Amino acid sequence: MEKWSLMTITVLLGLIVRWTVSLGSYSGAGEPPMYGDYEAQRHWQEVTYNLPVRQCAKLINPDWIALHTSRGYESQPHKLFMRTTVFVADLLVYIPAVILYCCWLKETSTKKKVSSALCILLYPGLILIDHGHFQYNSVSLGFAVWGVLYLSYDWDLLGSMAFCLALNYKQMELYHSLPFFCYLLGKCFKKGLRGKGLILLIKIAGTVVVSFAVCWLPFCTDVEQIMQVLRRLFPIDRGLFEDKVANIWCSLSILIKIKSVVAPQTQLQLSCAVTFLSLLPTCVKLILEPSLRAFKFALVSCALSFFLFSFQVHEKSILLVSVPVCLIINEIPFMATWFLLVSTFSMLPLLLKDGLLLAYAVTTLAFLSACVTSFSILEKTSAEDLQLKSFSLSLKGYVSWFKSFPKIVKRLFLLSVTVMGILTISSATMNPPQRLPDLFPTAVSVISCLHFLFFLMYFNIVILWDSKSRSQKKMS
């Protein structure tokens, strides 16, 4: 009873923070002709009702989704309606998945389960983007968490179905597709493809086909309609990256104008090749040695590879890395907290544009305080705490400075937080030089990208140096 009482308090706290953030401004408010993501979500309601898939939104107020004439529609009742839909989606999909996932954690005390739930629900990145900027990321991410939860119980068919729902809700869930595929394929291989493994593979394939068929059924009345959906899902013509996203291509463009010197088709091929090579070792390891722990870490590593190297990346796509990191915050609290702070910071230019500086500062400090109090993160920097013991043993006798690694990584963390704090204050209070108008967004992008490259190397080391015996053990 104590555990559920604490979980209820945690949920209420998370809901209060979300609703408070939602009371502020949103993306593109009163900024024609492009507006922002708020208008984009309203426009989807307009399109899905009128052309020609029917939705029930018109039953509330037809003016909200009137075809062509409702562009840029803004009113207090409509804002309340839209904000409430995000809130309810969070409450129905994402939050229950997080709570049940944390309750499932094995070999974990009640205090640690509640602490994990609290820190996950207070993660500022998702709160600020969904409830401040305005999007519905918690739905697709929530379904993905349900998928992880089901696989944790060996309910492979339900896990497959949940991930199909996530992928069909938002195509960016492709970031997580390879870990799901490789983990389940590895389980089938392990059971033997001449027996139970083949049966499981057929069941999973059937589940995927049926799930996709149900999701796509409303669009299958017309081939042109299907092609229209696909073109909207994969807007190749929009280029390699947009704005100042914290990935490798945007950072390199400071030195080499990739968009100018490299043909668009070559950009696509290059980004696909680099992305594939960067995530290949993790996927191979997961197929050969499938384990739940390796699967969760692979979700992080593969999503981060996609974010850093793939084509047409948005700054908000870092959420696809952050939520899997949230799921392992109980295992590596120090590194997870550090990553989640950087991931929110990487979206700073977008948050400033939306007038969310105060919300960013308050939610970030609240999250950091929760992590420090719950997990004592500054004391969790040993090689064992960072899951680097196997790696450190392999370096024994070769790298003498590794003995000082806990002190080094702690100093790097404090330096990182200091730099992020200085850049945040500078971005909010100072005007850049006239000849360098994008100085602060570019600095945020490059510094965040360097952090992410470091984290990618770290997560890959944890995965690849993980001993087989440890991999087979179910971790909390």
Side-chain angles (χ1 to χ4, degrees):
M1 289 298 294
E2 180 186 3
K3 177 176 73 174
W4 290 110
S5 298
L6 292 172
M7 284 295 187
T8 301
I9 295 172
T10 298
V11 170
L12 290 175
L13 180 59
L15 292 176
I16 290 171
V17 172
R18 283 161 167 76
W19 188 252
T20 303
V21 170
S22 73
L23 296 176
S25 183
Y26 52 83
S27 169
E31 297 180 6
M34 295 300 292
Y35 297 101
D37 277 342
Y38 179 91
E39 165 60 19
Q41 306 302 326
R42 189 214 58 78
H43 178 63
W44 275 112
Q45 295 176 0
E46 173 191 345
V47 170
T48 53
Y49 179 82
N50 292 285
L51 299 174
V53 182
R54 303 290 170 177
Q55 297 289 349
C56 63
K58 194 171 183 179
L59 297 178
I60 302 174
N61 188 332
D63 292 338
W64 294 353
I65 53 171
L67 188 61
H68 304 309
T69 60
S70 61
R71 180 168 177 77
Y73 186 95
E74 293 178 354
S75 70
Q76 198 59 36
H78 186 248
K79 178 182 175 182
L80 179 61
F81 169 76
M82 295 285 277
R83 291 295 197 189
T84 302
T85 58
V86 178
F87 191 80
V88 171
D90 223 351
L91 186 59
L92 294 179
V93 181
Y94 182 74
I95 292 177
V98 169
I99 294 300
L100 290 176
Y101 173 85
C102 292
C103 289
W104 161 84
L105 294 171
K106 294 180 173 64
E107 302 176 12
T108 306
S109 65
T110 296
K111 180 182 177 182
K112 200 171 181 181
K113 291 177 179 179
V114 174
S115 297
S116 298
L118 176 64
C119 293
I120 295 173
L121 293 181
L122 288 183
Y123 167 57
L126 184 59
I127 294 173
L128 292 168
I129 293 301
D130 273 18
H131 298 271
H133 175 81
F134 196 88
Q135 282 193 339
Y136 293 92
N137 294 289
S138 60
V139 178
S140 58
L141 292 170
F143 280 130
V145 176
W146 278 109
V148 175
L149 177 64
Y150 288 138
L151 294 186
S152 301
Y153 282 100
D154 289 324
W155 297 343
D156 298 327
L157 302 187
L158 285 175
S160 301
M161 182 185 71
F163 181 69
C164 287
L165 292 177
L167 183 57
N168 279 282
Y169 186 87
K170 197 159 191 175
Q171 77 276 20
M172 298 310 294
E173 277 295 325
L174 284 169
Y175 281 36
H176 300 147
S177 59
L178 284 175
F180 271 90
F181 174 78
C182 293
Y183 175 65
L184 291 170
L185 182 62
K187 285 188 72 172
C188 293
F189 283 151
K190 191 175 179 181
K191 290 176 179 291
L193 287 182
R194 293 184 178 179
K196 293 182 179 180
L198 179 59
I199 295 173
L200 177 60
L201 183 62
I202 293 172
K203 288 181 178 179
I204 292 173
T207 300
V208 171
V209 170
V210 171
S211 300
F212 267 79
V214 171
C215 291
W216 280 81
L217 189 60
F219 304 98
C220 291
T221 56
D222 181 19
V223 175
E224 177 55 32
Q225 187 168 248
I226 295 176
M227 297 308 298
Q228 183 68 245
V229 172
L230 291 174
R231 282 192 290 268
R232 287 176 176 268
L233 290 177
F234 303 103
I236 302 297
D237 295 337
R238 292 172 68 174
L240 186 59
F241 59 86
E242 289 187 11
D243 297 325
K244 295 295 183 287
V245 61
N247 76 350
I248 195 70
W249 307 119
C250 183
S251 299
L252 285 176
S253 68
I254 298 172
L255 303 174
I256 306 171
K257 301 301 179 183
I258 300 174
K259 286 185 174 181
S260 301
V261 300
V262 181
Q265 191 64 29
T266 305
Q267 294 175 26
L268 178 60
Q269 294 169 352
L270 177 63
S271 61
C272 289
V274 176
T275 304
F276 175 75
L277 291 174
S278 68
L279 52 79
L280 183 61
T282 294
C283 291
V284 171
K285 177 75 181 289
L286 189 58
I287 291 175
L288 297 177
E289 298 178 12
S291 71
L292 187 60
R293 178 178 179 276
F295 166 62
K296 290 191 289 184
F297 274 85
L299 285 171
V300 176
S301 176
C302 290
L304 189 51
S305 290
F306 270 102
F307 179 82
L308 283 169
F309 304 116
S310 66
F311 192 86
Q312 233 314 291
V313 174
H314 294 264
E315 62 269 64
K316 292 160 287 190
S317 299
I318 196 61
L319 297 177
L320 291 152
V321 191
S322 300
V323 168
V325 172
C326 286
L327 300 183
I328 55 175
I329 195 170
N330 65 303
E331 296 188 42
I332 47 167
F334 176 82
M335 294 300 282
T337 301
W338 189 0
F339 179 91
L340 294 171
L341 289 173
V342 176
S343 69
T344 306
F345 169 75
S346 72
M347 298 182 286
L348 179 63
L350 176 67
L351 300 176
L352 290 176
K353 183 180 178 182
D354 291 340
L356 294 170
L357 175 62
L358 179 61
Y360 165 72
V362 173
T363 54
T364 298
L365 289 174
F367 171 75
L368 180 58
S369 300
C371 292
V372 171
T373 304
S374 302
F375 291 107
S376 304
I377 59 171
L378 294 177
E379 300 172 10
K380 301 293 179 66
T381 58
S382 67
E384 187 171 359
D385 289 325
L386 299 180
Q387 313 253 331
L388 293 174
K389 192 168 184 180
S390 298
F391 180 67
S392 65
L393 290 174
S394 68
L395 293 180
K396 193 174 182 180
Y398 297 97
V399 183
S400 58
W401 59 262
F402 203 85
K403 293 180 181 178
S404 304
F405 185 73
K407 291 182 179 178
I408 294 173
V409 76
K410 189 183 297 185
R411 289 171 183 169
L412 286 174
F413 171 75
L414 295 175
L415 175 62
S416 169
V417 171
T418 302
V419 171
M420 288 189 289
I422 292 173
L423 256 180
T424 298
I425 295 172
S426 300
S427 300
T429 61
M430 295 175 62
N431 293 320
Q434 289 186 352
R435 62 189 184 87
L436 297 171
D438 294 328
L439 175 63
F440 294 130
T442 301
V444 170
S445 170
V446 172
I447 289 173
S448 300
C449 180
L450 292 174
H451 277 84
F452 293 146
L453 287 170
F454 164 73
F455 285 118
L456 179 64
M457 180 175 65
Y458 165 75
F459 285 116
N460 275 293
I461 288 173
V462 172
I463 294 168
L464 298 177
W465 264 263
D466 193 22
S467 64
K468 187 173 181 179
S469 59
R470 185 186 176 96
S471 292
Q472 300 306 321
K473 180 182 177 182
K474 285 191 175 180
M475 299 296 295
S476 62

